[in-house]
Amino acid sequence: MRPSAWLAALLAAAIGASPAHADNAADRYREALAFLVPALSGVGGATPVLSDDERRFLRELPAVPTASDRERLAPILAKTAEARAILDSAARIGRCDWQVDRAAGIGLLLPPVGPVRVAAGLVRAQALSEAMGGTTASAMTSLATLGAIGAHLAQDDLTISSLVAATVTTRMAAAGDLVLDGGGVDAKQAQSLLDSLGSLKGDAPLRFGSAVRGEWDLVATSLRGPDAQESLDEMLRAAATAGAAPSMTLDQARAELRSVRPLFERAARVLEMARPEDAIAEMRKLASAVEGGRMGPLATLLAPDLERLLARKIEATRELALFLERLRSIAEGKVPPEDLPNAAVFLSGASAGARALAADSQEIVGVLRVAPAA
């Protein structure tokens, strides 16, 4: 069993990360990915520890694992213990720099967000297993690691990274609710996890605004660089695939660059608004102007799916804020210990287990169908 969250923090302060990786979590992630999914991460060439089926299983693992799920998960956790220890150490490092070559513009080599998402799924599965098994202290440490992975992903200032960070943190909050519903979290543990998740507090924890500004920089670099025509052709092909391909020469694109920059800045500011209703109204106006062609063909070509980005940002930020508020209430003693256990979590587990049975057997345990959406 791993130490509790507060003890892990004490150990981290006393021991610290290894000198070679003391200031960059990305180096630690590369080690873990080389062990877990080398073919996906582009590092190492060994056979991956996680098979395609196991990665799919982790991705689809329900919020309340059944007994069958936990049985299948046990050997996966056993053989990935080394990688998970590396992920835990990465979580204790504040900075995560994948050293993305932004000079390459839109042709840059993206950070391994897909493999990192696989690693996050593994940590989530561990947290769920620990929560259902009653090892609350270990589950809290897993939640801290999962939150750190989300925060690290959002440091790239790329929309794909912020989107994946939103998925990771949303699933962390859902797993965290399961842990809190179990009733074994005391005020000290809640405060320790709150401290660990400090970088995810505030109105813009997933940096969607910074990501849109980062996308603008990549576009501008591409259309001003020596391979500008090739970059424009790639953008036009992508637009054609999506069903909207304006005709445009490189000279036209370059002439419109300056007028398009305010679009990205305005979108970034909307994504940083604290009030969702205000952000939704402003983003609708902006999206309508782009779609209607009022901001020019380059804006139509380049603008990301603004309303989708905003919706994802609002959803993830809301779920994260609700979980952090639950933690804060426990840490401040506003929730009496006797009110913490949630019977629904245990009934949900029973119901999920019933659904895993054959159809004729399910009739016998029909009384357990108290949480059909679990």
Side-chain angles (χ1 to χ4, degrees):
M1 181 185 302
R2 290 177 296 160
S4 65
W6 64 269
L7 182 55
L10 291 176
L11 290 174
I15 302 173
S18 61
H21 311 289
D23 64 346
N24 191 359
D27 293 333
R28 298 297 282 162
Y29 285 127
R30 286 190 179 96
E31 287 188 19
L33 297 181
F35 181 76
L36 292 173
V37 281
L40 292 182
S41 62
V43 288
T47 302
V49 170
L50 292 175
S51 68
D52 291 344
D53 285 344
E54 288 171 332
R55 291 198 297 271
R56 187 180 305 108
F57 166 71
L58 292 173
R59 184 171 61 248
E60 298 174 355
L61 186 67
V64 182
T66 66
S68 176
D69 290 331
R70 292 172 60 195
E71 183 178 353
R72 183 176 178 186
L73 185 58
I76 295 177
L77 294 179
K79 69 179 180 179
T80 57
E82 179 181 348
R84 287 184 287 106
I86 297 173
L87 294 172
D88 285 343
S89 68
R92 300 197 291 266
I93 303 173
R95 186 176 72 96
C96 184
D97 181 6
W98 292 99
Q99 299 176 332
V100 173
D101 181 13
R102 294 183 177 272
I106 63 171
L108 87 169
L109 180 64
L110 291 171
V113 291
V116 172
R117 182 173 177 174
V118 172
L122 178 64
V123 177
R124 169 186 175 264
Q126 178 173 2
L128 294 176
S129 177
E130 290 165 338
M132 295 299 291
T135 53
T136 302
S138 293
M140 294 289 276
T141 303
S142 294
L143 292 176
T145 297
L146 197 54
I149 293 174
H152 284 152
L153 283 168
Q155 292 182 21
D156 288 334
D157 290 346
L158 297 169
T159 53
I160 182 61
S161 296
S162 286
L163 285 168
V164 176
T167 297
V168 171
T169 52
T170 299
R171 302 193 95 188
M172 182 273 295
D177 282 334
L178 180 70
V179 176
L180 299 187
D181 288 343
V185 177
D186 60 29
K188 190 172 185 178
Q189 290 172 318
Q191 186 59 57
S192 177
L193 184 54
L194 271 175
D195 294 341
S196 297
L197 300 178
S199 58
L200 290 175
K201 298 175 185 177
D203 294 327
L206 304 176
R207 299 173 57 90
F208 274 95
S210 296
V212 167
R213 292 188 183 95
E215 296 290 340
W216 159 256
D217 290 339
L218 296 178
V219 167
T221 297
S222 295
L223 292 181
R224 290 169 178 160
D227 299 321
Q229 184 62 59
E230 182 180 341
S231 295
L232 178 60
D233 291 342
E234 182 178 341
M235 295 176 194
L236 291 170
R237 283 194 297 271
T241 301
S247 176
M248 186 182 309
T249 67
L250 180 58
D251 287 341
Q252 290 173 326
R254 283 175 166 171
E256 288 192 32
L257 262 180
R258 180 172 294 184
S259 64
V260 170
R261 182 171 186 175
L263 160 67
F264 280 80
E265 181 57 33
R266 185 177 165 189
R269 291 181 181 179
V270 172
L271 285 162
E272 292 170 343
M273 286 182 172
R275 288 170 53 87
E277 56 270 32
D278 294 341
I280 291 171
E282 287 301 310
M283 194 64 90
R284 281 177 179 165
K285 294 177 185 177
L286 186 56
S288 177
V290 171
E291 293 167 2
R294 297 194 299 276
M295 303 191 77
L298 186 62
T300 304
L301 175 65
L302 297 179
D305 190 340
L306 300 176
E307 290 184 287
R308 182 176 72 94
L309 283 178
L310 178 61
R312 192 70 189 95
K313 178 258 182 178
I314 290 174
E315 177 191 15
T317 303
R318 180 187 65 238
E319 296 302 315
L320 180 59
L322 288 172
F323 175 62
L324 293 177
E325 184 55 36
R326 283 194 73 187
L327 275 178
R328 190 174 295 109
S329 296
I330 296 172
E332 295 175 357
K334 296 179 180 178
V335 180
E338 61 271 17
D339 291 344
L340 284 176
N342 183 350
V345 69
F346 302 108
L347 292 173
S348 295
S351 181
R355 292 198 306 277
L357 299 175
D360 53 351
S361 300
Q362 289 186 29
E363 295 180 0
I364 302 174
V365 291
V367 69
L368 295 176
R369 296 184 179 277
V370 294

